[in-house]
Structure formats: structure tokens, C-alpha cells
Amino acid sequence: MKRKVVSILMAAAMVLSCAACGGQSDQAKTEGAAKTEEAADTGEDAEDASKDSGDVKIAYIVKAMSDQFWIDMKEGADKAAEELGVVVDFQAPEKETDVEVQIQYVENAITSGYNAIILSAADSKALNPSIVKANEANIPVVLVNDTIDMEALEADGGKVETYVGIDQYEAAALAGSYAVENIDGGKVALLEGVAGVDALDQRLAGFKDKIEESGKFEIVASQTANCDRNEAFNVVQNILTSNPDVNVIWAVNAEMGQGAIQAIEQAGKSGISVFDFDASDDDMEAIGNGTLVGSVAQYPDLQAKGAIQACLDVLDGKTLEAHTVTKAELITKDNMK
């Protein structure tokens, strides 16, 4: 199959009335949310369209562009698309809670004749009907970064080709184990992510289980901050007021970790060990200056390339493992580069 080397970011499919989420970096605000829909009037199915055009067209739908992780994933997707000779349309709502917008993107991808869909689902069950529609249209779906409730999907009559990403639970457990091994004990606060996202639930559980198994720590607070920096700042301020002797904080993404750091600094506190997930640029700087103990890196560029390659493998008739595993590691001052 001849594939043209091209990578495009398409025009917005709709204008959302909701405001961008708080706590976005300047870069994320500048990039904005990539909202797309390609007009397709050929009437051909995805396979025939691919044969006629010589292009493989992949809709790459993620949860948001609200933090560095998604920006890095888009850069990785663009690079991989050029290397592999495919068209990749990277699409994202403004906020990670915009599930309905994600559903619309998947529906648009089906009707627009894409050859494959890569999806980082904003909810573990809400996308199931759309995935079933993609299956019925013979458009393969590959999950990236976020898992979904596979039992619920199967019950709905749907399937995905593979999940490309880390083992979320085991990756979070790396941070929990480090805390157990390097901190004498104390009181722990947990910052939960967006409700209904399986990957975030696993990250919470992976750290929490290691802490609880040790018998050295007491969890005194577990609250959501919806993966938002400003919300995390407010939540941690309240936690520190109610529990001034908290000495460990676990945040399931980098934006909430940064919000926690800001709240600690605002309160004039010291001696609180903060851990988070994603190893963003801000995280790496914080690890270097000692305000963040560690962050789990999951290399979004590798996930993007793996997801695009998985689509090509499926289109070439290959059967994939249920989980295409990608690299994860805990970054601390001892091993940061």
C-alpha cells in the first residue's frame, strides 16, 4: 500500500461554548483544542477510500490539550505520521471532562471514512456505543494511554484491537514503593482525577495499595481535583488546613501535582513529599529544585508511535495482543537526565 507522507491538523468541527479549563499552560492555551471533522462525500467505506487515495487516514482522538502530556503526544503523533507515511488528524476537546465532544469526534470519524481510530477515552464506558458503530463500519479502534471497561464494552457487543500504553497500576505502584522505601511514615493526601476514567482510577489504586500495605502511613484525605492545576491548588489548601501534619501527597497527573506544589508554597509549608504522574517539563524543573520528589514518566511520544503502528498492523491483517506495553519509569533527582 502506497502511503503519502503527510501530517495535517484540520479545521475545527464545532465551536464549544464552554471556557477552556483553568490551569492550562501558556503553550497549551496557544495550541488550543484541536477540534476536527473531515468532510467526506465519497460514499465509500474506509477500506475502499484507502485503496483509491493511497493514503491511510487515522483519526487520533484524545481527552484534551490542557497539559504538557497531550502536547507531547501530539508532537509524537505528528513525527510518527511523517515517518510512517500516513495522515493523522489529532483531535481533542477543550477539557478532559468534555465526554460528549469526544463522542461526536468518534461519530464524525466514522462517517468521514477514516481507516482507523486511535482513542484516549475520557470515560470508561460512555464511548462504548461509538466504538460499536466503528466496529460495524469495519474501522479498527486502538486505545492509547487510557484503558476502558472492557467487560462493559464486550457486553455491548464491541471490541478494540489493542491498548497501547503502560500498565497504569504498576506504574503508579513505582511511586508508592519509592515512598514506602524512602519515607519513615506519616499522613497521606491523595488527589484523584476525573471520575469514570479507568486509567486514573488505576493510578490512584497503584500508589494507595503500596502505601496501605506498608502499614507505615495513614491516608487522611482523598479528593478529586479533576486533573486541573487551579482546582488542585484549592483542594490542597483545604487539605492542609484540615490536616496540617500531612507529609505525603500523591497526584494522579502532573497538573494536579503542580497545583499541590503551589498550595504548599503558598502555605509556607516544608517537609511534604509530593509525587505525581506524567513527568511534564514543569515536573522535571520541580524535581530539580526539590519541590517534587518524583514523577512517573510514560513517554507519550512512544505511545503515539505505537498506536499508529498498531493501526497499520491491523489494516495489514495482523492480530495484536490485548495490551501493547510501552515504557514507564519513576523519575527522581537520582536518575533525571
Side-chain angles (χ1 to χ4, degrees), residues 65 71 83 88 142 197 209 228 237 250 259 273 275 327:
M65 291 290 286
I71 294 168
E83 291 176 355
V88 171
V142 169
V197 179
D209 286 352
D228 182 87
Q237 277 192 320
W250 166 243
S273 298
F275 299 84
K327 179 181 178 181

Side-chain angles (χ1 to χ4, degrees), residues 120-154:
S120 179
D123 186 274
S124 62
K125 295 181 181 179
L127 278 293
N128 287 4
S130 300
I131 293 172
V132 171
K133 289 180 183 179
N135 295 158
E136 292 170 348
N138 295 317
I139 301 173
V141 178
V142 169
L143 299 180
V144 67
N145 185 62
D146 286 284
T147 52
I148 61 174
D149 187 330
M150 298 305 298
E151 290 184 359
L153 178 61
E154 185 176 353

Side-chain angles (χ1 to χ4, degrees), residues 103-253:
I103 291 171
Q104 187 60 54
Y105 288 160
V106 176
E107 303 279 341
N108 291 342
I110 295 168
T111 59
S112 297
Y114 284 87
N115 300 97
I117 297 170
I118 296 171
L119 176 64
S120 179
D123 186 274
S124 62
K125 295 181 181 179
L127 278 293
N128 287 4
S130 300
I131 293 172
V132 171
K133 289 180 183 179
N135 295 158
E136 292 170 348
N138 295 317
I139 301 173
V141 178
V142 169
L143 299 180
V144 67
N145 185 62
D146 286 284
T147 52
I148 61 174
D149 187 330
M150 298 305 298
E151 290 184 359
L153 178 61
E154 185 176 353
D156 289 338
K159 69 169 187 175
V160 295
E161 304 299 331
T162 187
Y163 157 60
V164 179
I166 64 173
D167 184 316
Q168 302 281 351
Y169 180 93
E170 292 299 333
L174 295 174
S177 295
Y178 185 93
V180 169
E181 293 167 3
N182 292 276
I183 301 172
D184 291 336
K187 295 186 177 181
V188 180
L190 307 175
L191 295 180
E192 305 169 17
V194 177
V197 179
D198 186 64
L200 300 178
D201 292 342
Q202 291 185 44
R203 293 180 192 178
L204 185 72
F207 186 91
K208 180 180 178 181
D209 286 352
K210 289 297 181 183
I211 289 291
E212 290 183 329
E213 288 168 6
S214 73
K216 296 166 55 178
F217 297 90
E218 177 188 0
I219 297 174
V220 296
S222 185
Q223 299 179 36
T224 184
N226 289 308
C227 294
D228 182 87
R229 186 179 301 210
N230 289 346
E231 191 168 342
F233 174 82
N234 293 327
V235 168
V236 172
Q237 277 192 320
N238 292 334
I239 289 174
L240 294 178
T241 299
S242 303
N243 300 276
D245 49 355
V246 162
N247 65 322
V248 177
I249 294 177
W250 166 243
V252 300
N253 86 330

Side-chain angles (χ1 to χ4, degrees), residues 91-112:
Q91 310 170 30
E94 291 189 10
K95 297 186 292 185
E96 293 197 13
T97 53
D98 287 336
V99 180
E100 291 300 323
V101 177
Q102 253 205 344
I103 291 171
Q104 187 60 54
Y105 288 160
V106 176
E107 303 279 341
N108 291 342
I110 295 168
T111 59
S112 297

